[in-house]
Amino acid sequence: MKPKLFLTRKLPEKVMLELRDKFELKYNQKDRVLTKDEIITGVKWADILLCLLTDSIDAEIIAAGENLKGISNYAVGYNNIDVRAATEAGIPICNTPGVLTETTADMAWALMFAAARRVVEADNFTRKGKFKGWAPELFLGNDIFGKTLGIVGAGRIGQAVAKRARGFEMTILYTDQTSNQYLDEELGAKRVELDELLQNSDFVSLHVPLTPQTNHLITGKQLQKMKKTAILINTSRGAVIKEADLLQALQNGTLAAAGLDVFENEPKLEPGLIDCPKVVLTPHIASASRQTRTKMGLMAVKNAWQMWLGEKPENIVNPQVYN
Ligand code: DGY
């Protein structure tokens, strides 16, 4: 008999095939986020839960999983899961690190370019038939080449973003708990405190996980420290920035522009944000390449399978459960 896996939303076809091969599968056939009650019903039935970052897996859901042997999150970030409750219940949790690093770094750069060179505004202008010919001051933006890039959080994705800056001959500053040999030696980067990074960077890109310590890491106070010409990019988690403060900073000229792929109260946006031309907005798609979403799915299936077998998976978030 195959183990029972409950999947909260349909994944790419190759992943579905793999899931059907290994598990007795029940999944959400509606193209929407499930309600808490719907997840509880699934979890009561399942041996393994495969969930998404849009599912808030709280203590109540975890407690409902009488036979639950593991939670496989289809994301590298796992702030959507009550890790403590799962750990107390002896339930392992896995995530999908590594496979989305380069794709997410590409997106941080896409936002950097779009915000610096006003690509979205200029596209809208051109489509509306407003382009009447070349003009000396039409859509002036900011240079990227030769500027200073500040990486907040030098994990896998932060490093991949920094690596791309080499081609643009940028000075790289970063914050992290410890020095990063690759960044220091290969890229000549400098580890600094957050304030120094904010004061000296032309571009600041956020790459920290969302934890109680990083929640609202960037508020009006930090934005005040940035250069007026600076551009802030966020592909990590929305709540790392206090969105209302960012909007205010953009509106009053404290900051030149921003590129956001993630939002504090996703999918809701801070009122006024969509009317602000200084921000480029994308709907949490930094890992959304066809190849990467499939790789994430296959990794999530492998994690699920290992948890079912009782093997300690490589991508375990709470290894204490195996002690
Ligand atoms: C993640 O994996 O945490 C991203 O936000 C979505 O791929």
Side-chain angles (χ1 to χ4, degrees):
M1 233 175 42
K2 289 178 176 178
K4 295 172 181 164
L5 184 140
F6 182 64
L7 166 65
T8 59
R9 201 148 179 185
K10 193 171 173 290
L11 296 178
E13 204 41 50
K14 208 167 157 187
V15 183
M16 297 304 282
L17 286 173
E18 187 70 10
L19 279 171
R20 285 193 188 95
D21 183 49
K22 289 193 154 48
F23 295 96
E24 183 184 338
L25 177 67
K26 268 194 193 169
Y27 71 96
N28 166 14
Q29 317 243 350
K30 308 166 189 114
D31 195 21
R32 63 162 171 81
V33 177
L34 292 180
T35 63
K36 181 167 174 173
D37 284 347
E38 287 170 324
I39 299 179
I40 286 181
T41 304
V43 159
K44 279 189 173 157
W45 166 84
D47 297 311
I48 300 284
L49 170 66
L50 203 165
C51 55
L52 313 188
L53 60 89
T54 42
D55 305 315
S56 178
I57 308 300
D58 62 15
E60 202 185 331
I61 293 180
I62 290 165
E66 285 160 24
N67 300 315
L68 207 58
K69 307 255 173 325
I71 302 173
S72 181
N73 206 35
Y74 180 68
V76 65
Y78 50 84
N79 55 291
N80 57 307
I81 302 174
D82 187 333
V83 178
R84 193 186 333 174
T87 307
E88 277 170 12
I91 297 172
I93 301 167
C94 286
N95 65 342
T96 60
V99 285
L100 47 74
T101 299
E102 303 298 339
T103 308
T104 305
D106 285 350
M107 188 67 189
W109 273 89
L111 289 172
M112 231 185 290
F113 283 120
R117 301 302 304 272
R118 304 175 63 186
V119 172
V120 177
E121 272 182 276
D123 176 275
N124 283 334
F125 174 91
T126 312
R127 281 172 203 277
K128 284 185 183 139
K130 292 184 179 173
F131 180 38
K132 303 296 177 207
W134 188 91
E137 294 193 279
L138 187 61
F139 286 109
L140 298 183
N142 284 352
D143 278 329
I144 294 179
F145 184 88
K147 298 284 180 165
T148 296
L149 171 64
I151 302 281
V152 179
R156 293 183 194 85
I157 300 172
Q159 282 183 65
V161 171
K163 187 172 64 182
R164 284 157 174 73
R166 195 160 39 178
F168 291 88
E169 296 184 21
M170 296 177 93
T171 300
I172 301 165
L173 303 177
Y174 70 96
T175 64
D176 212 13
Q177 280 155 4
T178 55
S179 297
N180 182 304
Q181 202 182 352
Y182 169 74
L183 290 183
D184 294 350
E185 290 174 13
E186 299 290 319
L187 303 184
K190 188 175 169 210
R191 185 165 79 101
V192 294
E193 293 301 319
L194 181 62
D195 280 1
E196 190 178 339
L197 181 144
L198 295 173
Q199 280 155 11
N200 293 294
S201 298
D202 300 298
F203 296 87
V204 174
S205 193
L206 304 177
H207 301 288
V208 287
L210 180 62
T211 64
Q213 292 72 38
T214 61
N215 189 60
H216 285 180
L217 182 70
I218 306 293
T219 66
K221 193 171 158 210
Q222 284 73 34
L223 294 167
Q224 281 292 344
K225 296 182 177 153
M226 292 176 69
K227 296 183 183 181
K228 283 196 171 7
T229 50
I231 294 178
L232 179 64
I233 304 297
N234 194 8
T235 52
S236 62
R237 285 292 182 266
V240 173
I241 302 179
K242 194 168 175 200
E243 210 165 277
D245 288 7
L246 173 62
L247 177 61
Q248 209 180 17
L250 291 168
Q251 285 169 338
N252 66 23
T254 303
L255 196 68
L260 304 178
D261 184 52
V262 287
F263 304 91
E264 192 173 348
N265 297 304
E266 255 174 62
K268 290 193 192 121
L269 306 191
E270 178 66 24
L273 203 60
I274 54 169
D275 301 316
C276 177
K278 292 182 175 178
V279 61
V280 177
L281 307 168
T282 53
H284 204 152
I285 55 167
S287 68
S289 73
R290 288 186 188 85
Q291 301 82 353
T292 291
R293 286 286 164 88
T294 298
K295 284 186 203 158
M296 286 166 62
L298 294 177
M299 182 178 264
V301 177
K302 186 174 171 203
N303 292 340
W305 185 246
Q306 288 181 319
M307 288 189 285
W308 161 250
L309 291 178
E311 289 171 3
K312 187 174 169 183
E314 194 186 329
N315 304 313
I316 185 79
V317 162
N318 53 349
Q320 317 86 286
V321 295
Y322 290 102
N323 289 344

